[in-house]
Amino acid sequence: MGLETVSAQDSTSVQSDYKNKVLLLPAIGSSPETGFMFGAVVVPQFKVGAADQKTRSSSIMMSAIYTTKNQILVSVLPDIILPEELWMLNGNYFVNYFPESYWGVGPFTTESNELTVLYTQINLEQNALRQIRPGFFAGPYLRWSKLYNLKFENTEGERVAIPGDIDAYKNIAAGIGWIARWDRRNSNMTPTENRFVQFSLLGNPSWLGNSRSFTFYELDARKYIPLSSSVRSVLAIQSLIQLNSGSPPFNDMAMVGGDRINRGYYGGRYRDQNSAQIQGELRQHAIGRFGFTVFAGTGEVWDRFDSFTLRNYKWTAGAGLRFNINKDDPTNVRIDFGVSKESVGFYLQFGEAF
């Protein structure tokens, strides 16, 4: 993707081919972590200023959701791309009241370990990535997160003592770091070709007020391979490696599962210092706005590298349906059904898993 200088007159002509749109959607969804969810999602999709055809569209996803597990989720996720893709600005801002299941730490926790952890979380997260060369971006990464009113219950709803390795009163994670991104995807919302590779480094030192000092590293690599000239079939592959040094709080540990990778495992069913996961997905356009997918994945968590083992590795497989809600700028609603060695997951979500 090369950069070109475009006059104001030419830019307006090129830009006129793209129509800004605001998607108003009922937030009717599901996942093992939330149960069924109800609310509203507003997604403006647009191009900033005099952005030309080579500049991908921007979006701001705003949602307010209530779930059948008595969770309240309010979030704003801006994904802003400035003209000529000179800057990318990505954020993750949310306030959640989110009771969830917790089985402890490690790759061998059992169902009998299950507790419910209840808390309210405020999360403020932002990066600003400058284009260094076409397709390559780098810039600072900031995050501040805090848990309030942390408590634990057993599966019968009775209050229990907070596990000894969790600090009940100091659950702040304040970090400053750096992101390097190689991004040649043709779309952020529904990519069908090229690749995305991102390395993130986030330090959380004690002098920023952290309850626990730790450093987080993440490598997220994705490849999209068109299997036909009409791009009706796409093979998507993702590998995700998350590592921690120091003592991260339980909710910032590396995890397996969720609605985006290793679908079929409850997000956080397994958590530890480190995790490695990989998944593949075949995406097939069927007819009109409809398509379907099949996917599979595997992963594991571990504490120290000398203790890493694949004796109990996790795997998932599944299939899903897709419906494109914006013909001008393809954006899918997805329905996925995933199966793991221990559980199943049903997901009704906005946007592709990766």
Side-chain angles (χ1 to χ4, degrees), residues 12-145:
T12 301
S13 174
V14 172
Q15 169 71 7
S16 65
D17 294 335
Y18 184 87
K19 296 180 180 179
N20 295 342
K21 182 173 287 190
V22 177
L23 304 177
L24 303 174
L25 304 170
I28 301 174
S30 177
S31 73
E33 297 82 17
T34 62
F36 282 96
M37 60 180 73
F38 313 88
V41 177
V42 180
V43 187
Q45 289 182 290
F46 55 93
K47 290 197 176 183
V48 177
D52 61 15
Q53 287 180 331
K54 293 187 177 181
T55 300
R56 287 165 290 178
S57 61
S58 300
S59 66
I60 303 175
M61 185 183 298
M62 297 170 281
S63 63
I65 294 170
Y66 178 77
T67 80
T68 53
K69 293 189 177 182
N70 299 318
Q71 299 154 329
I72 300 172
L73 317 170
V74 179
S75 65
V76 177
L77 283 76
D79 183 9
I80 309 300
I81 303 177
L82 298 187
E84 298 186 331
E85 302 203 347
L86 291 178
W87 286 91
M88 288 187 176
L89 310 173
N90 309 116
N92 185 10
Y93 301 86
F94 64 78
V95 179
N96 291 348
Y97 171 67
F98 199 81
E100 61 176 322
S101 294
Y102 175 77
W103 289 267
V105 176
F108 301 108
T109 57
T110 65
E111 289 294 329
S112 63
N113 298 136
E114 183 178 359
L115 297 172
T116 298
V117 54
L118 302 93
Y119 58 84
T120 298
Q121 181 177 11
I122 297 177
N123 186 85
L124 310 174
E125 196 169 344
Q126 183 66 52
N127 65 49
L129 306 184
R130 178 70 160 87
Q131 186 179 118
I132 308 301
R133 54 177 296 179
F136 184 75
F137 306 82
Y141 173 30
L142 303 175
R143 177 177 182 251
W144 183 89
S145 178

Side-chain angles (χ1 to χ4, degrees), residues 150-215:
L150 181 68
K151 58 184 178 181
F152 283 78
E153 297 177 351
N154 61 24
T155 53
E156 284 75 41
E158 300 168 334
R159 188 81 170 267
V160 298
I162 293 176
D165 59 344
I166 296 177
D167 192 324
Y169 303 103
K170 295 181 178 180
N171 286 284
I172 295 176
I176 182 170
W178 193 259
I179 289 177
R181 177 186 297 172
W182 184 26
D183 187 0
R184 302 306 299 264
R185 296 172 297 174
N186 59 331
S187 167
N188 285 5
M189 297 295 290
T190 311
T192 59
E193 60 184 38
N194 286 327
R195 63 192 65 83
F196 171 96
V197 180
Q198 177 171 288
F199 175 74
S200 305
L201 167 67
L202 187 67
N204 299 265
S206 57
W207 54 266
L208 280 178
N210 285 283
S211 312
R212 297 169 176 234
S213 178
F214 68 101
T215 302

